Amino acid sequence: MRERGWEFDRPAAPRGYGWWYLDALSADGRHGITIIAFIGTVFSPWYSLAKRGGAPADPENHCCVHVALYGAPRRWAMTDRRKSALRRGADFLHIGPSALEWDGTALTVRIEEVTAPFPQKLRGKVVLRPEAVSTRAFQLDSEGRHHWHPIAARSSVEVTLEEPALRWSGPAYFDTNWGSAPLEQDFVGWDWCRAPMPEATAILYNAQRRDGTDQSLALRVARDGSVTDFEPPAPVALPRTLWRIPRPTRAEGGAARVVNTLVDAPFYSRSEIQTRLLGRDATAIHESLSLDRFSSNAMYAMLPFRVPRPLS
C-alpha cells in the first residue's frame, strides 16, 4: 500500500509530537470549529512537566482530541490522556472515547469529550471531505526537527453535534505537523493564516526561530491540490489581543483587519480576519503563537484548569 505521508500511526520521537488539525467555519459565518488530535500534547502542562530537565518523555503518554466550538454556543475540551487511552493504525486514531477515521475519501471525527474548566458534554460527528489532497510537506526549522504538511487546504465539512444540539456545513481545512523536539526549544513563535477563495486557497506560515532566523512561506493551493509558492506580501501588524499577544500577518497592500477573535489565550490567539491575497479580498483564519509565553512558569500553573488529566 502506498504511504500517504500523514498516517495516524506515524512514530513520534521521545519529547516529540504529531498532530492532525481541522478547522472550519459555517457557510453563514455564525459557527466555527477547530479539532486537533495530538500525540504528544504540545500545550499540555503535564507533558511539559514530563520533559523538564531533558527527560525522554513518551509522547504517546500525553495524547488528546482538542475541540473548540465558536459562535453560540461556545465550547472547549482538551483532556490530556495516558497511553492506555490510545489506539491507532494508518487510517484510524482513537484517543479515549473520541476517534478519527480516514476511508480514502473522507475524514470522520467522532467526538465524545467533556469541556473545561466547567464540565459539559461535547458529543457528535464531523465529516471532512477534501476537494483534493496535497502531497507537498515543508521543513519549518533549520535542523529538520519540525515539519508541516497542508493535507487538504480545500475541503468541505458537515458538523452534526448532539450535545450541544448543532448542525451546519461549510468550507474547511486539514493539515498535520510533526517534530522530534519541543516547539519551545526551536521557535520563539509563529503566525499562520489560510484564506479560501473560489479558485485557490492562500496559506501564510511565518516562523521566528530560536537560532535568530525566520521563515516565511506563502503558498497557493489550487483546486487540484497542487501547491505553488508566491512572493510573501507586505507585513501587517494586526491589533494585539487582550492578553497582548502580537498578531502579525502579511497582506497585499499592507492592510488587514480583525473581524472576530475566536480564541484569546495567554500565549495563543485564533482570529477571523479580512485580508487581501492572490489579488482577492478574502476572509481568513489567523493564528498567532508565543512560545516564550507558553514556556513561563506562570503558564504551567494556569493550564491545568483548561487541560485536565484523568487520574487513570
Side-chain angles (χ1 to χ4, degrees):
M1 182 181 295
R2 183 178 178 181
E3 292 186 353
R4 299 191 307 272
W6 53 273
E7 288 77 10
F8 292 123
D9 59 355
R10 179 176 56 210
R15 297 172 54 80
Y17 62 90
W19 76 68
W20 294 263
Y21 170 100
L22 179 163
D23 77 36
L25 293 174
S26 63
D28 61 10
R30 297 173 56 202
H31 303 283
I33 193 168
T34 297
I35 300 170
I36 313 175
F38 287 100
I39 306 295
T41 309
V42 294
F43 303 126
S44 164
W46 317 103
Y47 192 31
S48 296
L49 182 63
K51 292 182 289 187
R52 285 289 179 95
D58 182 358
E60 290 195 348
N61 201 38
H62 297 274
C63 51
C64 85
V65 174
H66 163 55
V67 184
L69 292 183
Y70 314 117
R74 296 176 71 91
R75 295 287 190 273
W76 168 283
M78 194 171 187
T79 301
D80 190 47
R81 302 184 188 275
R82 289 170 170 77
K83 192 170 186 173
S84 58
L86 174 64
R87 190 167 66 88
R88 58 178 177 152
D91 297 328
F92 68 90
L93 176 59
H94 295 189
I95 299 175
S98 296
L100 289 75
E101 297 176 352
W102 171 252
D103 68 3
T105 60
L107 177 73
T108 298
V109 185
R110 302 184 190 281
I111 302 165
E112 189 80 38
E113 296 293 328
V114 176
T115 63
F118 306 109
Q120 295 176 286
K121 289 184 178 181
L122 184 51
R123 186 163 61 95
K125 184 173 73 171
V126 174
V127 180
L128 176 137
R129 292 184 172 85
E131 187 171 314
V133 173
S134 300
T135 59
R136 187 178 173 191
F138 299 83
Q139 178 178 311
L140 298 178
D141 67 310
S142 304
E143 301 298 326
R145 287 191 284 260
H146 304 271
H147 302 267
W148 166 64
H149 177 180
I151 300 167
R154 300 180 60 81
S155 301
S156 62
V157 78
E158 296 173 6
V159 177
T160 308
L161 298 183
E162 299 168 38
E163 296 184 81
L166 194 61
R167 187 179 185 123
W168 54 266
S169 60
Y173 169 92
F174 179 43
D175 75 8
T176 184
N177 286 62
W178 68 98
S180 58
L183 292 177
E184 61 271 23
Q185 174 181 311
D186 293 317
F187 298 99
V188 175
W190 69 46
D191 62 272
W192 170 91
C193 168
R194 64 105 179 170
M197 289 168 275
E199 297 304 319
T201 291
I203 307 176
L204 306 178
Y205 209 139
N206 304 296
Q208 299 80 49
R209 299 165 173 160
R210 289 280 175 205
D211 63 9
T213 63
D214 295 326
Q215 182 178 43
S216 185
L217 297 172
L219 307 174
R220 180 187 187 276
V221 184
R223 300 186 70 172
D224 63 0
S226 60
V227 180
T228 54
D229 301 82
F230 66 95
E231 185 67 23
V236 177
L238 296 164
R240 288 175 178 254
T241 67
L242 292 176
W243 281 99
R244 307 304 298 160
I245 294 295
R247 284 189 277 195
T249 190
R250 291 175 176 270
E252 293 169 6
R257 65 183 180 88
V258 176
V259 175
N260 188 17
T261 299
L262 303 173
V263 176
D264 186 352
F267 63 91
Y268 174 82
S269 73
R270 184 179 292 125
S271 310
E272 185 180 354
I273 68 172
Q274 284 291 324
T275 187
R276 185 170 180 83
L277 296 167
L278 302 177
R280 285 181 173 269
D281 295 331
T283 299
I285 297 294
H286 175 273
E287 297 182 343
S288 185
L289 171 66
S290 171
L291 288 158
D292 284 347
R293 283 275 193 95
F294 166 71
S295 58
S296 70
N297 288 331
M299 200 59 54
Y300 294 147
M302 296 168 62
L303 277 171
F305 296 99
R306 296 288 276 178
V307 188
R309 182 170 169 86
L311 295 175
S312 61

